Amino acid sequence: MSESHNTSTATLNRLSVYLRCLRELQREQLDTISSQGLATRFHLSSTQIRKDLAQFGDFGIRGVGYQIDPLANRLHQLLGLDRKHPIIIVGMGNLGTALAGYIGFNDDSFEVVAGVDCDPSKIDRRRGGVDVRDMSDLEAVVKETRAEIAVLTVPAAAAVDCYESLIKAGIRSVLNFAPVPLQEKGGLRLKQVDLRTYLEESTFLLDPPS
Amino acid sequence: MSESHNTSTATLNRLSVYLRCLRELQREQLDTISSQGLATRFHLSSTQIRKDLAQFGDFGIRGVGYQIDPLANRLHQLLGLDRKHPIIIVGMGNLGTALAGYIGFNDDSFEVVAGVDCDPSKIDRRRGGVDVRDMSDLEAVVKETRAEIAVLTVPAAAAVDCYESLIKAGIRSVLNFAPVPLQEKGGLRLKQVDLRTYLEESTFLLDPPS
DNA sequence: CCATGTGAACAAATTCACAGCA
DNA sequence: TGCTGTGAATTTGTTCACATGG
């Protein structure tokens, strides 16, 4: 019902999940689904589904549930997936190259438009299906490709500098895979994807202390 | 001070970050640091640092701060990093191969002991520095290597089946990179690392609705 | 006197429970 | 009747403020 956007990250992540669930239901030719149906099918919480969705309008039909197609369309649009987002990969090592191939594969909302690196042996070649450009041309690459999102996959030692460069170049959102905590600043969105932390979370929980 | 483990994921992730910060301070030959010092240096919250650390004992010295070496050692131990954790990679495509090289690089707490895949052209070769074994030998591989943690990097369509197999094979913790919501069950730890969701979070926030 | 450790206040997120509509 | 949408209750997490101890 509300129109202002103070949606939490947690809610946002769930919207993304809901959309994926709906896509699956669409493949099964279903027409409507109740919050309870979604919940049991995909191990979610029905109340939470209703709360999350109600933030953006009254989609549901009481006594019936949600119409899958319109709801999926609305989520698609809400998440900004109705236009193509150009992405650059910063650091075309193995991980960067793998992600370049991974993102945008079978997807028409995201496109990896370039990689950048500072290793001369990689520059001006194709890797992972994208052209690799010189890191020192970053600003030009961003301008040229209108990239909004950067995936940061450089070694830890280079992460802070690269991050600063990305800000200067006008990137608006960064997914950081380097195990270095960067700080969100200005209007820039930052998401830390920290494999090391995830593994350490596991090992703590595997045999908890005392 | 408490001895029972009901530590939240959020706290756990922060412990991992604290340890990394302490490592940096160690490289700078520092001896002690106050919660305030840590906070301003690394853009954290001093109160939260104290609350988080106090859960595991009284490490700090009032009026002084924390002794870096003992605290780092304790966190290292708490996080289970004082022994080596064998990891298998399930799905040795580009992403799996890249992660195989990435994890365990320069690290003595984690070791990738094998990859598994069902593509015959990959099986029994080395990729990303590890031996690739046949997915159908999973149980044997897990037994042999005593792997506790699995990194799941198979295509979406295969994720659920592979996950089930991992449970059967006795894996205790899974890091899932496939864009498929799996459900945590039994004593098994599950962590979703969903690139797609992260990107969609970005695009929502880049131009929020209405 | 300074910085920790912590109870108490506050804020955020989740779950409950039910009124109201198709 | 069945399921949504939502206030109210609860749980969880964070911040404040200060008593306590080196």
Side-chain angles (χ1 to χ4, degrees):
Chain A
M1 189 64 45
S2 144
E3 284 300 320
S4 72
H5 120 79
N6 37 351
T7 307
S8 74
T9 297
T11 300
L12 229 38
N13 289 347
R14 285 193 299 265
L15 292 184
S16 171
V17 170
Y18 299 158
L19 178 54
R20 214 138 50 189
C21 296
L22 293 171
R23 294 301 184 208
E24 191 163 331
L25 298 173
Q26 285 181 317
R27 279 193 293 275
E28 293 172 19
Q29 318 274 351
L30 291 174
D31 219 63
T32 61
I33 184 113
S34 68
S35 59
Q36 188 50 246
L38 259 178
T40 52
R41 183 82 148 65
F42 298 100
H43 314 289
L44 307 167
S45 143
S46 63
T47 309
Q48 196 153 62
I49 292 170
R50 293 201 300 279
K51 265 258 158 72
D52 286 338
L53 296 181
Q55 272 185 68
F56 301 100
D58 301 15
F59 297 128
I61 305 166
R62 288 163 200 248
V64 178
Y66 298 89
Q67 288 194 274
I68 292 170
D69 287 352
L71 180 56
N73 291 342
R74 182 75 176 116
L75 290 182
H76 186 81
Q77 183 204 37
L78 272 174
L79 291 170
L81 304 176
D82 50 355
R83 63 190 191 88
K84 198 150 207 153
H85 298 272
I87 296 177
I88 58 170
I89 311 272
V90 179
M92 289 295 284
N94 290 329
L95 185 58
T97 305
L99 293 177
Y102 199 75
I103 301 169
F105 171 76
N106 230 346
D107 189 317
D108 34 43
S109 301
F110 299 102
E111 184 186 9
V112 179
V113 289
V116 296
D117 205 295
C118 54
D119 174 354
S121 76
K122 290 179 189 141
I123 292 167
D124 289 330
R125 307 191 174 222
R126 271 183 91 74
R127 283 180 69 108
V130 298
D131 293 322
V132 182
R133 305 278 305 270
D134 191 330
M135 180 66 195
S136 55
D137 294 337
L138 180 66
E139 216 150 327
V141 174
V142 171
K143 206 156 280 170
E144 223 171 85
T145 59
R146 301 186 200 287
E148 301 171 315
I149 301 173
V151 175
L152 192 54
T153 46
V154 298
V160 174
D161 283 352
C162 286
Y163 182 58
E164 299 292 340
S165 305
L166 286 169
I167 296 173
K168 278 211 193 76
I171 282 291
R172 298 181 58 206
S173 179
V174 174
L175 238 63
N176 176 35
F177 282 78
V180 174
L182 303 172
Q183 74 171 309
E184 197 157 297
K185 43 182 141 179
L188 190 137
R189 271 288 311 158
L190 172 65
K191 173 79 189 179
Q192 205 75 22
V193 184
D194 194 328
L195 196 52
R196 159 69 57 125
T197 294
Y198 300 149
L199 290 175
E200 291 180 356
E201 196 187 311
S202 289
T203 53
F204 178 96
L205 295 166
L206 282 181
D207 25 35
S210 85
Chain B
M1 189 61 50
S2 146
E3 283 301 319
S4 73
H5 119 79
N6 37 353
T7 307
S8 74
T9 298
T11 300
L12 229 39
N13 291 346
R14 285 192 299 264
L15 291 184
S16 172
V17 169
Y18 300 158
L19 178 54
R20 215 141 48 191
C21 296
L22 293 171
R23 294 301 184 208
E24 190 163 330
L25 299 173
Q26 285 181 317
R27 277 192 294 275
E28 293 173 20
Q29 318 276 351
L30 292 174
D31 219 63
T32 61
I33 183 108
S34 67
S35 59
Q36 188 51 250
L38 259 180
T40 51
R41 183 80 149 65
F42 298 100
H43 313 289
L44 307 167
S45 142
S46 64
T47 308
Q48 196 153 59
I49 292 170
R50 293 200 301 279
K51 263 257 157 71
D52 286 338
L53 297 180
Q55 271 185 69
F56 301 100
D58 301 13
F59 298 128
I61 304 165
R62 290 166 199 246
V64 178
Y66 298 89
Q67 288 193 275
I68 292 170
D69 287 352
L71 180 56
N73 291 342
R74 183 73 175 115
L75 289 182
H76 186 82
Q77 184 205 36
L78 271 174
L79 291 170
L81 303 177
D82 50 355
R83 64 190 189 87
K84 197 148 205 153
H85 298 272
I87 296 177
I88 58 169
I89 310 272
V90 180
M92 289 295 283
N94 291 329
L95 185 58
T97 305
L99 292 178
Y102 198 74
I103 300 168
F105 171 76
N106 229 346
D107 189 316
D108 34 42
S109 301
F110 299 102
E111 183 184 10
V112 180
V113 290
V116 296
D117 205 294
C118 54
D119 175 353
S121 77
K122 289 178 189 145
I123 293 166
D124 289 330
R125 305 191 176 221
R126 271 185 91 75
R127 283 180 68 108
V130 298
D131 292 323
V132 182
R133 306 277 304 270
D134 191 331
M135 180 66 195
S136 56
D137 294 338
L138 180 66
E139 217 149 328
V141 174
V142 171
K143 206 156 281 170
E144 220 172 87
T145 59
R146 301 185 200 288
E148 302 172 315
I149 301 173
V151 175
L152 191 54
T153 45
V154 298
V160 174
D161 283 353
C162 286
Y163 182 58
E164 299 294 339
S165 306
L166 286 169
I167 295 174
K168 279 212 194 75
I171 282 289
R172 299 181 58 208
S173 179
V174 175
L175 237 63
N176 176 35
F177 281 78
V180 174
L182 303 172
Q183 74 170 309
E184 198 157 298
K185 43 181 142 178
L188 190 136
R189 271 288 312 159
L190 172 65
K191 173 81 190 178
Q192 205 73 23
V193 184
D194 194 330
L195 196 52
R196 159 69 59 122
T197 293
Y198 300 149
L199 289 174
E200 292 181 357
E201 197 186 311
S202 289
T203 53
F204 177 96
L205 295 166
L206 282 181
D207 27 34
S210 85

